[in-house]
């Protein structure tokens, strides 16, 4: 592979891509650019106070963007059949890392959750984030070939998928476990699996969520604060009330870039889970609508790519990537606006975090690769093939 392919601005092959692939590429970079600008604004004050360097989080994020772009470039220029062939082993390896995080002494605990593995003093690996692209790939591979698989193979992979969701739930990370479960369920639905299986799985997932909320006090408190955050605005409802005040302060046109007041030590974790509230305060209703239009354009192109894909497995991969990138964005916005209970889901390309950034760029790379392969694949008609055989049988042909 040409090393220039790994540096997006030096990739000269882009002009040969299909229109959908080129548009998705530029929308990805636009989304990434806006996200980096917002991270700079949202994190500067707290980084300056905590580390004496207002660019602390921004510089680290740039490093992860560079790492993620390498993976993005590899996927965009690699035939999807090779990526799919490796997805099962990578998924199993990441499942092993997820299980390691819940073993006392092996996982790194932050705020009472064991979701990370330390890679030294500089970085933390979060397998539950990195596994998302490979969960999409393998679920598409399994459900897209469901009728051709033996019952034993089906049961093995259903067990592995269940172990992934259960392992994430035990960290504990209900929001990511629920997201991964929904992605698996929706990919299976798009693949046309029997409604009996889908209904039973949905009931089992709902039961698991109810049990988790029943035994985890902090999860119950989040739901109660979501129902009425103003009942305890200085306690359990503090995050949501501050987020709502930030969004409301933005008004129609916004306070202006860098002029958010709530990010100045009022709104907690303003550069990760609640970064949209800072965006809405600085750019207002108009900016928020433009961001939603960007997401809508991305989703529309992604679904168009899925519809054009000839290979059913490729179609399911495209659907899964759209569900993760757009669905997770909408869930994050829903939390910030009080439409959904508070969760720990990051905003793709916006929230600070190397694992989320790498996973998001890998997902975008997969979608663009499918757009490229979908345009390059051509169905050769039977008459055309007969004509070619006849030409090949002529003397001198």
């Amino acid at each position: 592979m040409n090393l220039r392919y790994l540096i997006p601005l030096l990739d000269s092959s882009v002009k040969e891509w299909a229109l959908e692939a080129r548009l998705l590429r530029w929308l990805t970079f636009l989304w990434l650019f806006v996200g980096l600008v917002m991270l700079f604004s949202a994190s500067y004050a707290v980084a300056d106070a905590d580390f004496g360097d207002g660019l602390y989080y921004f510089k680290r994020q740039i490093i992860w963007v560079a790492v993620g772009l390498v993976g993005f470039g590899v996927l965009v220029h690699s035939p999807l059949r090779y990526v799919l062939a490796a997805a099962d082993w990578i998924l199993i390896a990441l499942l092993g890392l997820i299980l390691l995080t819940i073993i006392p002494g092996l996982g790194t605990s932050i705020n009472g959750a064991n979701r990370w593995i330390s890679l030294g003093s500089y970085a933390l690996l979060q397998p539950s984030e990195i596994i998302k692209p490979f969960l999409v790939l393998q679920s598409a591979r399994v459900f897209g070939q469901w009728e051709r698989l033996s019952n034993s193979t089906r049961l093995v992979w259903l067990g592995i998928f269940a172990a992934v969701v259960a392992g994430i739930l035990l960290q504990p990370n209900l929001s990511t476990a629920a997201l991964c479960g929904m992605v698996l369920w929706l990919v299976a639905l798009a693949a046309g699996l029997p409604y009996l299986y889908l209904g039973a799985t949905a009931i089992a997932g709902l039961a698991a969520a109810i049990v988790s909320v029943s035994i985890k006090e902090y999860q119950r408190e989040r739901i109660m604060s979501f129902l009425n955050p103003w009942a305890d605005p200085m306690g359990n409802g503090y995050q949501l009330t501050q987020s709502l005040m930030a969004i409301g302060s933005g008004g129609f046109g916004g306070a202006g870039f860098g002029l958010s007041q709530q990010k100045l030590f009022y709104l907690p974790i303003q550069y990760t889970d609640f970064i949209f509230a800072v965006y809405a305060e600085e750019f207002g209703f108009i900016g928020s609508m433009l961001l939603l239009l960007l997401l809508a354009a991305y989703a529309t192109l992604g679904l168009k790519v899925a519809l054009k894909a000839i290979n059913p497995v490729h179609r399911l991969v495209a659907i899964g990537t759209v569900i993760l990138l757009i669905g997770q964005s909408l869930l994050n916005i829903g939390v910030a606006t009080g439409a959904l209970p508070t969760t720990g889901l990051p905003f793709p390309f916006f929230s600070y975090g190397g694992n989320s950034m790498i996973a998001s760029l890998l997902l975008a790379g997969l979608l663009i690769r499918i757009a490229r392969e979908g345009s390059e694949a051509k169905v050769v008609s039977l008459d055309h093939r007969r004509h070619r055989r006849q030409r090949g049988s002529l003397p001198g042909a």
Side-chain angles (χ1 to χ4, degrees):
M1 180 183 293
N2 194 323
L3 292 179
R4 290 185 299 173
Y5 291 164
L6 304 182
I7 305 175
L9 295 179
L10 300 181
D11 190 349
S12 59
S13 69
V14 175
K15 60 181 180 292
E16 302 171 2
W17 297 2
L19 177 62
E20 290 87 354
R22 283 181 279 138
L23 289 175
L24 281 169
R25 178 178 182 269
W26 285 114
L27 282 178
T28 298
F29 292 155
L30 175 61
W31 189 353
L32 175 61
F33 174 76
V34 175
L36 287 173
V37 169
M38 276 315 304
L39 177 67
F40 168 81
S41 175
S43 67
Y44 191 93
V46 68
D48 185 58
D50 292 346
F51 302 100
D53 180 6
L55 297 177
Y56 177 81
Y57 292 113
F58 181 78
K59 290 187 293 187
R60 290 168 69 95
Q61 190 80 332
I62 289 294
I63 294 173
W64 292 119
V65 167
V67 174
L69 284 175
V70 172
F72 172 88
V74 170
L75 289 180
V76 164
H77 291 282
S78 298
L80 200 61
R81 64 181 183 275
Y82 297 146
V83 182
L84 284 164
D88 50 357
W89 293 109
I90 297 175
L91 179 73
I92 292 171
L94 289 170
L95 171 59
L97 293 177
I98 289 173
L99 298 178
L100 284 179
T101 63
I102 61 180
I103 298 176
L106 295 180
T108 299
S109 178
I110 299 177
N111 296 327
N114 297 303
R115 304 173 187 173
W116 298 269
I117 294 176
S118 177
L119 299 179
S121 58
Y122 184 77
L124 293 171
L125 174 66
Q126 188 177 359
S128 59
E129 280 293 325
I130 302 297
I131 203 172
K132 290 176 181 177
F134 303 100
L135 193 64
V136 167
L137 284 165
Q138 190 59 22
S139 62
R141 190 181 179 196
V142 171
F143 297 138
Q145 305 177 87
W146 187 256
E147 297 299 327
R148 290 187 285 171
L149 300 179
S150 65
N151 288 332
S152 59
T153 302
R154 293 176 182 177
L155 289 174
V156 167
W157 279 108
L158 289 177
I160 291 174
F161 293 151
V164 170
V165 176
I168 297 172
L169 190 61
L170 291 172
Q171 290 183 329
N173 192 349
L174 176 60
S175 55
T176 301
L179 177 65
C180 290
M182 286 189 291
V183 169
L184 289 168
W185 193 87
L186 290 170
V187 170
L189 176 65
L193 264 64
Y195 290 129
L196 178 62
Y197 298 167
L198 295 171
T201 304
I203 293 171
L206 181 61
I210 292 173
V211 170
S212 178
V213 171
S214 300
I215 62 178
K216 300 291 183 181
E217 184 178 356
Y218 80 94
Q219 292 175 356
R220 293 197 302 274
E221 291 175 349
R222 284 184 176 183
I223 293 176
M224 296 306 295
S225 65
F226 155 71
L227 295 174
N228 187 8
W230 302 102
D232 187 14
M234 300 305 294
N236 291 328
Y238 183 76
Q239 284 182 332
L240 183 52
T241 55
Q242 295 299 315
S243 178
L244 293 174
M245 284 190 280
I247 294 171
S249 299
F252 188 74
F257 175 66
L259 299 179
S260 166
Q261 295 299 307
Q262 290 301 114
K263 71 182 181 183
L264 301 177
F265 314 105
Y266 296 104
L267 176 65
I269 51 177
Q270 68 273 46
Y271 53 91
T272 53
D273 299 347
F274 284 88
I275 194 169
F276 175 77
V278 179
Y279 176 89
E281 184 179 2
E282 296 189 351
F283 294 100
F285 177 79
I286 295 176
S288 299
M289 288 300 101
L290 290 174
L291 179 59
L292 289 175
L293 284 175
L294 170 64
L295 297 180
Y298 205 96
T300 301
L301 279 171
L303 293 177
K304 185 177 180 181
V305 167
L307 291 173
K308 289 181 66 175
I310 298 173
N311 188 317
V313 174
H314 293 190
R315 184 181 306 118
L316 293 176
V317 173
I319 291 171
T321 57
V322 171
I323 291 170
L324 267 176
L325 286 173
I326 305 303
Q328 187 169 317
S329 300
L330 295 178
L331 288 173
N332 181 279
I333 292 172
V335 168
T337 56
L340 295 170
T342 302
T343 64
L345 290 175
F347 196 141
F349 300 117
F350 268 58
S351 296
Y352 172 75
N355 295 279
S356 174
M357 180 60 70
I358 291 172
S360 298
L361 284 168
L362 292 180
L363 286 165
L366 285 173
L367 187 58
I368 293 170
R369 181 64 207 179
I370 295 167
R372 292 189 62 193
E373 292 195 13
S375 66
E376 292 166 2
K378 292 182 174 62
V379 179
V380 180
S381 69
L382 182 60
D383 290 340
H384 180 70
R385 281 182 287 179
R386 287 173 176 168
H387 180 66
R388 290 189 63 183
R389 284 201 301 268
Q390 290 171 357
R391 287 186 60 192
S393 63
L394 294 176

